[in-house]
Amino acid sequence: LDAFYTSPKIIGAMYDALSNNGFTGGRILEPSMAIGNFFGKMPQEMRGNSSLHGVELDSISGRIAQKLYPSADIKITGFEQTTFRDNSFDLAVGNVPFGDSSLHEKKYDKYHFKIHDHFFAKSLDKVKENGIVAFITSTGTMDKKNTSVRKYLAERAELVGAIRLPSGAFKASAGTDVDSDIIFLQKRPQPIELTADNMPNWVELGQTENGLPINNYFAENPDMVLGEMVEGNKMFGREGTSCVAIEGANLDDLLADAVKNIHFETITR
């Protein structure tokens, strides 16, 4: 159910954001890689400068990825079963599985993370200081009422940018109208303690101009919402909000403009 394939144009935009900020390569982890579209769309120079490491639970997809990228280290297992060293990657990138299911891993069990939150938490542990986690995830990561996961992430990383995609962004590649965001986090040197006095705005929710609940980051940066927020979310038949495409708008152009607004400290290898 989680095997959605990511549009090459969206992957390309994510790499544009990384390249714009000086990322030229390093140790790269894709923790839920399917057949490896993120490896395939990686700029040639970046790939040549990198050591690629991937994880895929599905054996068929994983074996296809191993054939496509024989020089990469690709493990066919669940991400929760992997034992990569902490602080060992420059970048974690991908389209993480999301839903109401949970993974079981002793280090994280006490947090009761949903599957997508687990991927964020573990990937942040795996990247180095100032390393980047760039994931596509459900809009629930940014918009759910319970702020505990965002607070956990904000203690360990700075949000350097996020892009809300229109619900049809994965229609051609995955056949789904899933509502999703691209989130860029940069790992802090050390976790910090957050209180009401120093809480980053993106931990809390705000409102759109028409009064719909949305993460404060998007409320303050409406140009990073590549559509119109409306009531109703078709995914799983739940109520909520959805980002619908603006008639006549070109998603490629909107993405190109949005990634120019993502800025972070240049990563040095």
Side-chain angles (χ1 to χ4, degrees):
L1 291 176
D2 292 324
F4 298 138
Y5 291 88
T6 312
S7 161
K9 293 178 181 178
I10 294 174
I11 297 172
M14 293 172 69
Y15 283 127
D16 286 344
L18 293 164
S19 297
N20 290 347
N21 287 279
F23 184 79
T24 58
R27 294 192 81 234
I28 297 177
L29 170 66
E30 187 181 355
S32 180
M33 70 180 301
I35 62 169
N37 285 359
F38 276 84
F39 285 176
K41 188 62 179 174
M42 190 178 297
Q44 195 63 42
E45 182 179 357
M46 187 182 295
R47 193 195 300 186
N49 291 334
S50 297
S51 169
L52 304 182
H53 304 262
V55 183
E56 174 51 40
L57 177 62
D58 178 71
S59 63
I60 295 176
S61 297
R63 281 180 284 152
I64 292 172
Q66 286 177 335
K67 295 294 186 184
L68 289 173
Y69 309 103
S71 63
D73 167 32
I74 297 173
K75 303 181 187 303
I76 302 176
T77 187
F79 187 40
E80 73 279 11
Q81 300 294 330
T82 60
T83 56
F84 297 113
R85 285 187 299 108
D86 286 354
N87 307 301
S88 63
F89 290 95
D90 299 287
L91 168 70
V93 66
N95 185 348
V96 298
F98 43 85
D100 281 336
S101 61
S102 297
L103 302 175
H104 297 292
E105 187 172 2
K106 185 176 180 180
K107 182 176 181 178
Y108 304 102
D109 281 347
K110 64 182 177 181
Y111 299 107
H112 305 290
F113 287 139
K114 300 300 185 186
I115 187 170
H116 41 288
D117 301 325
H118 193 123
F119 270 72
F120 270 96
K122 183 165 183 171
S123 297
L124 269 178
D125 283 340
K126 299 308 165 190
V127 299
K128 304 172 185 176
E129 174 185 336
N130 291 325
I132 297 293
V133 172
F135 283 164
I136 300 169
T137 182
S138 160
T139 55
T141 300
M142 292 290 277
D143 280 6
K144 57 188 164 190
K145 292 179 182 178
N146 187 324
T147 63
S148 60
V149 170
R150 291 193 296 276
K151 182 173 182 287
Y152 175 97
L153 297 177
E155 287 171 342
R156 292 158 177 80
E158 180 184 355
L159 178 73
V160 294
I163 300 170
R164 175 143 301 174
L165 299 169
S167 58
F170 292 88
K171 189 70 174 177
S173 58
T176 177
D177 282 333
V178 60
D179 284 359
S180 53
D181 293 333
I182 308 171
I183 297 178
F184 294 83
L185 299 173
Q186 185 162 36
K187 186 173 180 175
R188 299 184 187 279
Q190 295 291 335
I192 62 173
E193 182 177 352
L194 292 177
T195 67
D197 293 331
N198 67 343
M199 191 72 65
N201 282 351
W202 70 276
V203 173
E204 305 289 347
L205 298 185
Q207 289 187 342
T208 65
E209 289 183 350
N210 8 349
L212 297 177
I214 196 170
N215 188 278
N216 268 330
Y217 174 85
F218 291 122
E220 295 168 3
N221 299 276
D223 51 336
M224 302 300 274
V225 179
L226 309 189
E228 179 185 359
M229 296 302 300
V230 299
E231 289 189 78
N233 184 330
K234 291 177 287 184
M235 187 178 182
F236 307 124
R238 296 174 181 165
E239 296 181 355
T241 61
S242 186
C243 181
V244 299
I246 299 169
E247 187 174 353
N250 184 300
L251 180 58
D252 295 350
D253 293 340
L254 294 175
L255 272 170
D257 288 339
V259 297
K260 293 175 184 175
N261 297 323
I262 295 171
H263 304 289
F264 53 85
E265 179 183 342
T266 300
I267 305 167
T268 55
R269 296 178 60 189

mmCIF file of all heavy atoms in Angstrom, residues 24-45:
data_model
loop_
_atom_site.group_PDB
_atom_site.id
_atom_site.type_symbol
_atom_site.label_atom_id
_atom_site.label_comp_id
_atom_site.label_asym_id
_atom_site.label_seq_id
_atom_site.Cartn_x
_atom_site.Cartn_y
_atom_site.Cartn_z
ATOM 1 N N THR A 24 27.306 18.664 -3.155
ATOM 2 C CA THR A 24 27.874 18.062 -4.367
ATOM 3 C C THR A 24 28.030 16.553 -4.252
ATOM 4 O O THR A 24 28.414 15.895 -5.221
ATOM 5 C CB THR A 24 29.245 18.673 -4.680
ATOM 6 O OG1 THR A 24 30.120 18.470 -3.557
ATOM 7 C CG2 THR A 24 29.131 20.165 -4.969
ATOM 8 N N GLY A 25 27.749 15.980 -3.091
ATOM 9 C CA GLY A 25 27.863 14.543 -2.922
ATOM 10 C C GLY A 25 28.305 14.184 -1.523
ATOM 11 O O GLY A 25 28.626 15.039 -0.696
ATOM 12 N N GLY A 26 28.343 12.880 -1.240
ATOM 13 C CA GLY A 26 28.733 12.394 0.078
ATOM 14 C C GLY A 26 28.158 11.014 0.299
ATOM 15 O O GLY A 26 27.845 10.294 -0.648
ATOM 16 N N ARG A 27 27.995 10.636 1.546
ATOM 17 C CA ARG A 27 27.329 9.370 1.872
ATOM 18 C C ARG A 27 25.827 9.637 1.905
ATOM 19 O O ARG A 27 25.346 10.442 2.700
ATOM 20 C CB ARG A 27 27.808 8.808 3.205
ATOM 21 C CG ARG A 27 29.245 8.380 3.219
ATOM 22 C CD ARG A 27 29.591 7.557 4.468
ATOM 23 N NE ARG A 27 29.179 6.163 4.316
ATOM 24 C CZ ARG A 27 28.388 5.516 5.186
ATOM 25 N NH1 ARG A 27 27.891 6.153 6.233
ATOM 26 N NH2 ARG A 27 28.070 4.242 4.998
ATOM 27 N N ILE A 28 25.100 8.962 1.021
ATOM 28 C CA ILE A 28 23.677 9.232 0.833
ATOM 29 C C ILE A 28 22.866 7.993 1.168
ATOM 30 O O ILE A 28 23.182 6.889 0.703
ATOM 31 C CB ILE A 28 23.397 9.686 -0.616
ATOM 32 C CG1 ILE A 28 24.130 10.997 -0.911
ATOM 33 C CG2 ILE A 28 21.900 9.851 -0.850
ATOM 34 C CD1 ILE A 28 23.970 11.490 -2.342
ATOM 35 N N LEU A 29 21.817 8.186 1.956
ATOM 36 C CA LEU A 29 20.925 7.105 2.360
ATOM 37 C C LEU A 29 19.540 7.346 1.798
ATOM 38 O O LEU A 29 18.973 8.435 1.945
ATOM 39 C CB LEU A 29 20.850 7.057 3.895
ATOM 40 C CG LEU A 29 19.786 6.136 4.506
ATOM 41 C CD1 LEU A 29 20.102 4.665 4.199
ATOM 42 C CD2 LEU A 29 19.691 6.361 6.015
ATOM 43 N N GLU A 30 18.993 6.311 1.143
ATOM 44 C CA GLU A 30 17.571 6.332 0.772
ATOM 45 C C GLU A 30 16.895 5.179 1.509
ATOM 46 O O GLU A 30 17.050 4.008 1.143
ATOM 47 C CB GLU A 30 17.360 6.193 -0.735
ATOM 48 C CG GLU A 30 15.902 6.401 -1.100
ATOM 49 C CD GLU A 30 15.597 6.248 -2.585
ATOM 50 O OE1 GLU A 30 16.536 6.076 -3.380
ATOM 51 O OE2 GLU A 30 14.402 6.297 -2.931
ATOM 52 N N PRO A 31 16.143 5.481 2.579
ATOM 53 C CA PRO A 31 15.679 4.423 3.483
ATOM 54 C C PRO A 31 14.433 3.670 3.034
ATOM 55 O O PRO A 31 14.035 2.706 3.689
ATOM 56 C CB PRO A 31 15.417 5.184 4.789
ATOM 57 C CG PRO A 31 15.041 6.558 4.338
ATOM 58 C CD PRO A 31 15.870 6.826 3.111
ATOM 59 N N SER A 32 13.796 4.104 1.961
ATOM 60 C CA SER A 32 12.618 3.401 1.437
ATOM 61 C C SER A 32 12.610 3.605 -0.073
ATOM 62 O O SER A 32 11.846 4.388 -0.613
ATOM 63 C CB SER A 32 11.333 3.956 2.082
ATOM 64 O OG SER A 32 10.204 3.292 1.584
ATOM 65 N N MET A 33 13.464 2.858 -0.786
ATOM 66 C CA MET A 33 13.860 3.260 -2.125
ATOM 67 C C MET A 33 13.040 2.677 -3.259
ATOM 68 O O MET A 33 13.205 3.093 -4.408
ATOM 69 C CB MET A 33 15.323 2.932 -2.340
ATOM 70 C CG MET A 33 15.653 1.455 -2.455
ATOM 71 S SD MET A 33 17.428 1.185 -2.699
ATOM 72 C CE MET A 33 17.727 2.090 -4.207
ATOM 73 N N ALA A 34 12.174 1.690 -3.004
ATOM 74 C CA ALA A 34 11.460 1.010 -4.090
ATOM 75 C C ALA A 34 12.488 0.530 -5.122
ATOM 76 O O ALA A 34 13.452 -0.123 -4.765
ATOM 77 C CB ALA A 34 10.396 1.917 -4.690
ATOM 78 N N ILE A 35 12.331 0.902 -6.405
ATOM 79 C CA ILE A 35 13.304 0.456 -7.411
ATOM 80 C C ILE A 35 14.435 1.463 -7.606
ATOM 81 O O ILE A 35 15.292 1.288 -8.459
ATOM 82 C CB ILE A 35 12.623 0.163 -8.761
ATOM 83 C CG1 ILE A 35 11.961 1.423 -9.333
ATOM 84 C CG2 ILE A 35 11.629 -0.971 -8.621
ATOM 85 C CD1 ILE A 35 11.498 1.258 -10.773
ATOM 86 N N GLY A 36 14.423 2.543 -6.816
ATOM 87 C CA GLY A 36 15.578 3.441 -6.811
ATOM 88 C C GLY A 36 15.464 4.684 -7.666
ATOM 89 O O GLY A 36 16.478 5.157 -8.194
ATOM 90 N N ASN A 37 14.259 5.246 -7.782
ATOM 91 C CA ASN A 37 14.102 6.439 -8.627
ATOM 92 C C ASN A 37 14.944 7.617 -8.149
ATOM 93 O O ASN A 37 15.405 8.423 -8.954
ATOM 94 C CB ASN A 37 12.627 6.857 -8.699
ATOM 95 C CG ASN A 37 11.814 5.945 -9.588
ATOM 96 O OD1 ASN A 37 12.337 5.005 -10.177
ATOM 97 N ND2 ASN A 37 10.518 6.210 -9.690
ATOM 98 N N PHE A 38 15.168 7.718 -6.841
ATOM 99 C CA PHE A 38 15.990 8.829 -6.342
ATOM 100 C C PHE A 38 17.453 8.643 -6.728
ATOM 101 O O PHE A 38 18.160 9.622 -6.965
ATOM 102 C CB PHE A 38 15.844 8.972 -4.825
ATOM 103 C CG PHE A 38 14.642 9.771 -4.410
ATOM 104 C CD1 PHE A 38 13.396 9.165 -4.295
ATOM 105 C CD2 PHE A 38 14.737 11.128 -4.158
ATOM 106 C CE1 PHE A 38 12.280 9.889 -3.923
ATOM 107 C CE2 PHE A 38 13.630 11.868 -3.780
ATOM 108 C CZ PHE A 38 12.385 11.247 -3.664
ATOM 109 N N PHE A 39 17.932 7.412 -6.801
ATOM 110 C CA PHE A 39 19.286 7.175 -7.285
ATOM 111 C C PHE A 39 19.366 7.463 -8.780
ATOM 112 O O PHE A 39 20.331 8.046 -9.271
ATOM 113 C CB PHE A 39 19.704 5.727 -7.021
ATOM 114 C CG PHE A 39 20.047 5.420 -5.589
ATOM 115 C CD1 PHE A 39 20.369 4.125 -5.202
ATOM 116 C CD2 PHE A 39 20.060 6.412 -4.615
ATOM 117 C CE1 PHE A 39 20.692 3.831 -3.890
ATOM 118 C CE2 PHE A 39 20.373 6.128 -3.298
ATOM 119 C CZ PHE A 39 20.692 4.822 -2.931
ATOM 120 N N GLY A 40 18.344 7.044 -9.511
ATOM 121 C CA GLY A 40 18.359 7.206 -10.962
ATOM 122 C C GLY A 40 18.302 8.646 -11.412
ATOM 123 O O GLY A 40 18.896 9.011 -12.436
ATOM 124 N N LYS A 41 17.602 9.490 -10.663
ATOM 125 C CA LYS A 41 17.431 10.891 -11.042
ATOM 126 C C LYS A 41 18.520 11.789 -10.448
ATOM 127 O O LYS A 41 18.591 12.975 -10.758
ATOM 128 C CB LYS A 41 16.046 11.388 -10.584
ATOM 129 C CG LYS A 41 15.648 12.773 -11.069
ATOM 130 C CD LYS A 41 15.561 12.852 -12.580
ATOM 131 C CE LYS A 41 15.124 14.248 -13.025
ATOM 132 N NZ LYS A 41 15.166 14.406 -14.486
ATOM 133 N N MET A 42 19.409 11.218 -9.627
ATOM 134 C CA MET A 42 20.465 12.015 -9.021
ATOM 135 C C MET A 42 21.376 12.600 -10.099
ATOM 136 O O MET A 42 21.745 11.895 -11.046
ATOM 137 C CB MET A 42 21.301 11.119 -8.082
ATOM 138 C CG MET A 42 22.282 11.872 -7.215
ATOM 139 S SD MET A 42 23.189 10.736 -6.095
ATOM 140 C CE MET A 42 21.824 10.097 -5.112
ATOM 141 N N PRO A 43 21.709 13.884 -9.998
ATOM 142 C CA PRO A 43 22.624 14.465 -10.981
ATOM 143 C C PRO A 43 23.903 13.643 -11.097
ATOM 144 O O PRO A 43 24.428 13.150 -10.091
ATOM 145 C CB PRO A 43 22.902 15.869 -10.413
ATOM 146 C CG PRO A 43 21.706 16.181 -9.581
ATOM 147 C CD PRO A 43 21.268 14.874 -8.996
ATOM 148 N N GLN A 44 24.395 13.495 -12.315
ATOM 149 C CA GLN A 44 25.526 12.604 -12.579
ATOM 150 C C GLN A 44 26.744 12.950 -11.733
ATOM 151 O O GLN A 44 27.406 12.074 -11.182
ATOM 152 C CB GLN A 44 25.877 12.646 -14.071
ATOM 153 C CG GLN A 44 26.788 11.518 -14.519
ATOM 154 C CD GLN A 44 26.150 10.148 -14.353
ATOM 155 O OE1 GLN A 44 24.974 9.965 -14.641
ATOM 156 N NE2 GLN A 44 26.921 9.195 -13.864
ATOM 157 N N GLU A 45 27.058 14.238 -11.645
ATOM 158 C CA GLU A 45 28.232 14.646 -10.869
ATOM 159 C C GLU A 45 28.063 14.305 -9.396
ATOM 160 O O GLU A 45 28.993 13.824 -8.736
ATOM 161 C CB GLU A 45 28.481 16.147 -11.034
ATOM 162 C CG GLU A 45 29.727 16.633 -10.299
ATOM 163 C CD GLU A 45 29.971 18.125 -10.490
ATOM 164 O OE1 GLU A 45 29.197 18.777 -11.237
ATOM 165 O OE2 GLU A 45 30.934 18.635 -9.896
#
